[in-house]
Amino acid sequence: MTLQTGSRLGPYEILSPLGAGGMGEVYRAKDPRLGREVAIKVLPASFSKDPDRLRRFEHEARAAGVLNHPNITAVYDIGSVEGSPYVVSELLEGETLRSRLASGALSARKALDYAIQIARGLAAAHEKGIVHRDLKPENLFVTNDGRVKILDFGLAKLKQAESGGPEETNLPTGTLGTEPGVVLGTMGYMSPEQVRGKPADYRSDIFAFGAILYEMLSGHRAFHGDTAADTMSAILTKEPPDLSATNRDVHPGLDRIVRHCLEKNPEERFHSAHDLAFDLEALSGISAPRVVSLPSAGRAPKKLLWSLAAATAIVVALVGAFLLGKRAGQTDPPSFAQLTFRRGELVSARFAPDGQTILYSAEWEGKPMEIFSTRTDRPESRSFGLPGAGVLAISASGEMAVSLNRHIVGPFTRSGTLAQIGVGGGGAPREILEDVQWADWAPDGVNLAIVRDVQSRSRLEYPPGNVIYQTTGWISHPRVSRDGSLIAFLDHPVRGDDGGTVAVADRSGKKRTISSLYASEGGLAWAPDRGEVWFTATKVGSNRALLAVTLSGRERLLSRVTGNLTLHDVARDGRLLVAHDTLRIGILGRGPGDVKERELSWLDWSSLTDLSTDGKTVFFSETGEGAGAGYSVYVRSTDGAAAIRLGEGSAQELSPDRKWALTIVHPAADTRLVLLPTGTGERRMLPAHELKVTRAHWFPDGKRILLNANEPDRGVRLYIQDIADGNVRAISPEGYRTFLRCVSPDGRFVIVRGPDLKLYLYPVQGGEPTLIPGVTTDDWPAGWSADSRSIFVYRRREIPAKVDHLDIATGRRELWRELKPDDSAGIASIAPVIPTPDGRAYVYGYFRTLSDLYLAQGVR
């Protein structure tokens, strides 16, 4: 099926041909609905009759369609016209790596840059169970701005445990612009197991990666013969020439990485693309001089990667059961011991003064939080005897600061009554202060640094009552330095978002930011000496690594693993308590007519924000590993159809007619409101007016937007912005905060939480707010009824979430529904809950954490 310029393929307008090959023809096209240019690959109708070719084409679409990563080509759509299937993807400007290599080897610096990007893309695909199986320079595209994109998952295999029968063997032979000899070139990147016709897994991609990296550095193919048989024989039996023979600038550490990728035996290659990317980053200078790694949660320790950089070289070697990299002077490798073995979330952990006893709080097997004790030499836990309590801090004298009735008050935040009890137990805890979120002992064991919310501001107090820092964002993980002069903490600029920086403040209130900005951070403690603060954070996604920063701002990497780390405590002798966490934010719900709940999550961090009034469309953000750098906005049908990515930003609400998606761009920095079309149309950016917007909502007329925002050096309050002219006006004093679906269907009132934390109806046209009867400060609104006479309310701290229908005139409550996932292990919260106004459909979000606590020794 040859398409002419100006013709249409479904909704797309063909602009020009881009190329052709064994898997079809590629065209430049325009999507008039979004006003963007795209690339369309079309499989000819004659080929679509070939089941094998059609299967390969469908595999490409299915594989690439579930991936969302800056180093993988984004797939937007799939369709079929007149029997010809097609895939729509992002349009790339640049050239293939094969074209780039036509002039010879790349510089070592450029090759390393490309290699890191390719490894990151492979790691993202492998995490989704997708193996490329045809990685080669023709399938790697270098954009004009230097970004490498992995193309053509046409031979990718979606790994499924339930798949029956033997895997088919495909010898890739076709590429764009096929010329004599390309078969040999393609075959030259196949792994030995592929040559032998055996199943290919992620280690086959790593072998192909090694061959490509070798070629980038040397300008010659790693395996190449005069005939196909010669090439196959070289792959199976021969080693490529030393890189030093063709490029003297190749670092010995880089040469070792290439050799490690090209091991004939798959078991002897890198065991993950994450490990491969990690070692490459270490060579590039991104990683710090000293690195350790921990085993994955919930599994017996396998071979671990230890990568240590000396002053002039990085040595990577496979030794025994661990991958160890030793730097000069280090003779004993770190050791790790798993301390917990149950299924659920570990919330906090601290060393007792004897250094051998550990007190921790956890929610195991879906049960309420409880404090447990264990020993480093006998990892068997026993209950401490304080149900519903959490550990906050332990003093040098053995006094434990605990949080009684600890409950969730917002994303990433719990609160409770601060109390004191000895680590030996016995007697009742002495209550000190209510509504405290975090606390840490000063070295004297008498004073405490605490964090709590007062008048819609997060306050760091040391001692309690003496405010040394406050913010309209939120503060977490305060730790007093060993000499008592400073408090280190995590400073999050936006509520509900765990991104932020590491900061320190002294007793006089002088606050300094000492780290760069991170997309996710959680967990902090002072290093064994006063010179560094250790913390866990990540620049991209949600999988945090263990990092260190000096008071002067010099950062370094301590440890990175596959998955997420959370630092809980550091002992004086340098031992660490660190949790390996599996974190997920998901969505469950029932659409119109559904008889049971359906999983509506998409990637790993599906943050629910809205449900259309007809219950057919759910609106959410992806903010974790799958979203890559920055947030992504999606809509998805509640019938379970694939989600559609609308663009970047933090999702807020759908317009009443569902034509526009209200989005905040750059939610952790200079915020801007953007309207993204859900169908045809162009995005619109609204004037910012120097407002920092934390939440935005549509009015029912679709012409105005309610903002929860603050001006510089002012508190949060309510504003209304007109869409037509962009003008903004304030309608409330400071201290009022909004909720999802907070505007009444008649547009007259807004549900808000006031400065006293009570729920009010705020009149849009002016007047005093009205206290909503029958609710407490623990209640959260979930939306309005269609007649604006009642609201849905629930309590985040309760699992299952009991959702009531509440009459706003009388305060009368009636249970509407109880909500929780069938598997409740590790469920920390159920929020938000969003029913349709008629109550016939609903969706709700859940946050699940599964943790294992480790004792780490030898981290430097």
Side-chain angles (χ1 to χ4, degrees):
M1 180 178 182
T2 301
L3 302 175
Q4 302 298 321
T5 300
S7 63
R8 285 190 171 272
L9 184 67
Y12 304 99
E13 178 185 350
I14 302 302
L15 300 180
S16 63
L18 290 176
M23 281 299 292
E25 298 176 334
V26 185
Y27 297 88
R28 178 192 294 265
K30 183 176 182 179
D31 183 351
R33 299 169 300 178
L34 300 177
R36 66 182 175 191
E37 291 190 353
V38 297
I40 300 181
K41 178 179 285 190
V42 182
L43 186 67
S46 59
F47 286 1
S48 68
K49 298 176 182 179
D50 182 337
D52 180 65
R53 288 185 182 272
L54 185 58
R55 177 181 59 80
R56 290 167 59 190
F57 186 86
E58 291 173 345
H59 273 189
E60 175 182 356
R62 290 172 59 205
V66 301
L67 298 174
N68 185 351
H69 192 273
N71 298 118
I72 298 176
T73 306
V75 171
Y76 300 139
D77 194 12
I78 183 173
S80 179
V81 172
E82 299 179 359
S84 297
Y86 63 84
V87 166
V88 182
S89 62
E90 65 177 317
L91 181 66
L92 303 176
E93 301 288 346
E95 61 182 341
T96 65
L97 181 60
R98 171 61 67 210
S99 299
R100 184 68 61 91
L101 291 173
S103 58
L106 306 179
S107 67
R109 179 189 60 81
K110 183 62 67 177
L112 185 56
D113 176 30
Y114 290 174
I116 290 171
Q117 296 187 58
I118 298 167
R120 289 171 177 166
L122 284 178
H126 293 171
E127 282 187 346
K128 300 294 184 183
I130 298 170
V131 181
H132 194 289
R133 298 201 301 170
D134 193 22
L135 201 63
K136 56 191 176 184
E138 290 84 352
N139 283 336
L140 297 169
F141 196 94
V142 184
T143 64
N144 289 336
D145 62 357
R147 176 168 289 183
V148 180
K149 297 272 189 175
I150 304 176
L151 309 175
D152 194 0
F153 278 83
L155 295 177
K157 176 178 180 255
L158 295 176
K159 294 171 68 71
Q160 297 178 351
E162 67 273 19
S163 177
E167 177 187 2
E168 296 183 15
T169 301
N170 292 311
L171 298 183
T173 58
T175 63
L176 292 180
T178 302
E179 298 291 341
V182 170
V183 170
L184 302 184
T186 300
M187 190 174 294
Y189 304 95
M190 294 170 63
S191 65
E193 58 268 26
Q194 285 178 291
V195 170
R196 292 189 174 99
K198 294 182 178 180
D201 61 15
Y202 61 90
R203 294 168 298 183
S204 300
D205 283 350
I206 290 175
F207 185 93
F209 173 95
I212 294 168
L213 180 53
Y214 180 93
E215 188 170 346
M216 287 194 290
L217 293 167
S218 68
H220 303 282
R221 298 185 183 181
F223 307 101
H224 184 66
D226 294 332
T227 66
D230 291 340
T231 301
M232 295 170 68
S233 176
I235 292 172
L236 294 172
T237 64
K238 296 181 181 179
E239 298 292 337
D242 290 340
L243 282 169
S244 59
T246 57
N247 190 340
R248 294 182 179 179
D249 294 330
V250 174
H251 191 285
L254 189 55
D255 180 73
R256 292 186 184 96
I257 289 175
V258 172
R259 299 291 172 184
H260 197 21
C261 292
L262 295 177
E263 294 285 353
K264 307 296 184 187
N265 183 353
E267 293 293 332
E268 296 179 2
R269 296 174 205 150
F270 283 97
H271 279 247
S272 76
H274 268 302
D275 288 346
L276 172 58
F278 182 80
D279 274 11
L280 290 167
E281 289 170 352
L283 281 176
S284 72
I286 295 176
S287 295
R290 284 165 270 188
V291 179
V292 298
S293 298
L294 293 174
S296 299
R299 297 184 181 181
K302 295 184 179 179
K303 297 178 181 178
L304 303 181
L305 181 64
W306 303 91
S307 212
L308 300 174
T312 58
I314 296 178
V315 180
V316 180
L318 182 65
V319 180
F322 293 91
L323 291 172
L324 298 175
K326 297 184 178 181
R327 74 183 175 95
Q330 181 173 332
T331 58
D332 296 323
S335 62
F336 301 90
Q338 188 171 342
L339 299 175
T340 61
F341 303 90
R342 298 174 67 179
R343 191 167 185 268
E345 179 185 6
L346 184 134
V347 180
S348 60
R350 294 291 187 271
F351 286 104
D354 64 6
Q356 303 303 316
T357 303
I358 295 165
L359 281 300
Y360 69 89
S361 47
E363 298 173 342
W364 297 135
E365 287 86 38
K367 298 178 182 178
M369 184 186 301
E370 189 173 355
I371 296 177
F372 299 87
S373 67
T374 187
R375 297 269 305 174
T376 59
D377 54 349
R378 294 191 305 274
E380 295 180 3
S381 298
R382 63 178 180 85
S383 173
F384 185 79
L386 282 180
V391 176
L392 296 179
I394 299 177
S395 71
S397 62
E399 289 298 312
M400 182 162 55
V402 298
S403 178
L404 304 180
N405 301 314
R406 193 156 178 78
H407 59 279
I408 291 172
V409 294
F412 313 104
T413 308
R414 289 178 166 91
S415 185
T417 299
L418 175 64
Q420 179 178 344
I421 189 172
V423 296
R430 180 176 66 86
E431 297 185 3
I432 301 173
L433 190 64
E434 293 183 347
D435 298 324
V436 173
Q437 297 171 2
W438 309 89
D440 191 42
W441 289 105
D444 59 14
V446 176
N447 289 310
L448 285 159
I450 68 167
V451 173
R452 57 176 170 169
D453 277 352
V454 178
Q455 296 181 342
S456 299
R457 289 176 179 262
S458 182
R459 302 201 325 192
L460 175 62
E461 302 176 12
Y462 180 48
N466 178 40
V467 180
I468 62 173
Y469 176 65
Q470 58 182 333
T471 174
T472 56
W474 60 290
I475 300 165
S476 69
H477 301 86
R479 300 300 292 265
V480 183
S481 62
R482 301 188 189 280
D483 63 1
S485 63
L486 295 172
I487 299 131
F489 59 95
L490 299 179
D491 190 14
H492 310 273
V494 177
R495 286 181 180 258
D497 187 291
D498 65 341
T501 57
V502 179
V504 294
D506 61 21
R507 288 175 176 266
S508 67
K510 182 180 179 181
K511 176 249 183 184
R512 290 182 292 137
T513 297
I514 61 173
S515 80
S516 53
L517 180 66
Y518 287 87
S520 173
E521 58 178 8
L524 176 147
W526 288 90
D529 57 54
R530 185 177 175 273
E532 284 186 324
V533 176
W534 290 0
F535 63 105
T536 34
T538 180
K539 291 289 183 71
V540 177
S542 59
N543 286 340
R544 300 188 292 256
L546 180 61
L547 303 159
V549 61
T550 65
L551 297 179
S552 62
R554 185 175 63 86
E555 300 178 38
R556 64 189 183 99
L557 177 66
L558 294 173
S559 174
R560 178 182 293 152
V561 300
T562 301
N564 181 75
L565 286 178
T566 301
L567 175 64
H568 287 277
D569 203 10
V570 178
R572 287 184 176 274
D573 60 6
R575 292 174 302 147
L576 280 70
L577 292 177
V578 61
H580 188 284
D581 303 309
T582 300
L583 306 176
R584 287 290 183 273
I585 288 181
I587 304 171
L588 286 166
R590 287 174 56 178
D594 287 346
V595 297
K596 63 179 182 179
E597 291 182 352
R598 188 193 309 271
E599 181 69 47
L600 295 171
S601 311
W602 187 239
L603 302 179
D604 62 320
W605 210 260
S606 303
S607 301
L608 172 66
T609 61
D610 198 13
L611 175 68
S612 60
T613 55
D614 62 5
K616 294 183 179 180
T617 305
V618 62
F619 186 39
F620 61 97
S621 300
E622 286 290 347
T623 62
E625 288 295 307
Y631 296 169
S632 297
V633 178
Y634 288 83
V635 291
R636 189 178 191 186
S637 171
T638 53
D639 64 8
I644 299 173
R645 184 180 185 274
L646 301 181
E648 295 182 354
S650 175
Q652 298 299 299
E653 285 185 359
L654 294 171
S655 62
D657 59 7
R658 290 194 294 170
K659 292 183 178 180
W660 296 97
L662 181 57
T663 303
I664 295 178
V665 178
H666 305 307
D670 181 21
T671 58
R672 296 294 300 271
L673 283 177
V674 176
L675 303 181
L676 298 176
T678 59
T680 59
E682 298 182 357
R683 58 178 289 183
R684 296 178 57 187
M685 184 171 290
L686 301 182
H689 298 289
E690 295 187 348
L691 290 178
K692 181 179 178 181
V693 181
T694 55
R695 198 175 293 280
H697 318 267
W698 288 96
F699 277 93
D701 59 13
K703 299 178 180 180
R704 297 171 297 159
I705 294 173
L706 176 72
L707 307 180
N708 212 193
N710 66 281
E711 302 166 50
D713 300 321
R714 298 290 300 273
V716 173
R717 57 177 172 166
L718 308 180
Y719 298 80
I720 292 179
Q721 184 165 24
D722 293 322
I723 294 178
D725 57 21
N727 291 335
V728 170
R729 59 187 175 91
I731 64 170
S732 81
E734 295 180 16
Y736 289 91
R737 295 184 179 274
T738 59
F739 301 87
L740 300 179
R741 306 307 305 174
C742 63
V743 181
S744 62
D746 59 16
R748 298 173 55 205
F749 294 98
V750 179
I751 308 172
V752 296
R753 194 177 296 281
D756 57 1
L757 303 183
K758 296 180 180 179
L759 292 182
Y760 291 88
L761 294 181
Y762 204 94
V764 174
Q765 298 301 324
E768 293 299 315
T770 302
L771 185 68
I772 300 177
V775 296
T776 70
T777 56
D778 292 330
D779 284 312
W780 286 73
W784 289 82
S785 63
D787 60 8
S788 298
R789 294 181 178 178
S790 60
I791 62 175
F792 297 91
V793 295
Y794 69 103
R795 294 180 179 178
R796 287 183 177 222
R797 62 186 295 182
E798 295 180 348
I799 299 175
K802 298 177 181 178
V803 187
D804 291 336
H805 208 221
L806 183 143
D807 188 301
I808 59 176
T810 65
R812 181 177 177 272
R813 302 175 69 134
E814 181 180 352
L815 180 64
W816 172 70
R817 196 178 297 272
E818 292 189 2
L819 302 174
K820 77 167 185 175
D822 291 337
D823 177 11
S824 60
I827 298 295
S829 66
I830 294 176
V833 175
I834 307 177
T836 55
D838 59 12
R840 295 180 180 178
Y842 64 86
V843 289
Y844 64 91
Y846 63 87
F847 183 35
R848 187 194 304 274
T849 302
L850 300 177
S851 311
D852 291 299
L853 181 65
Y854 287 87
L855 173 71
Q857 301 183 74
V859 178
R860 298 288 187 272

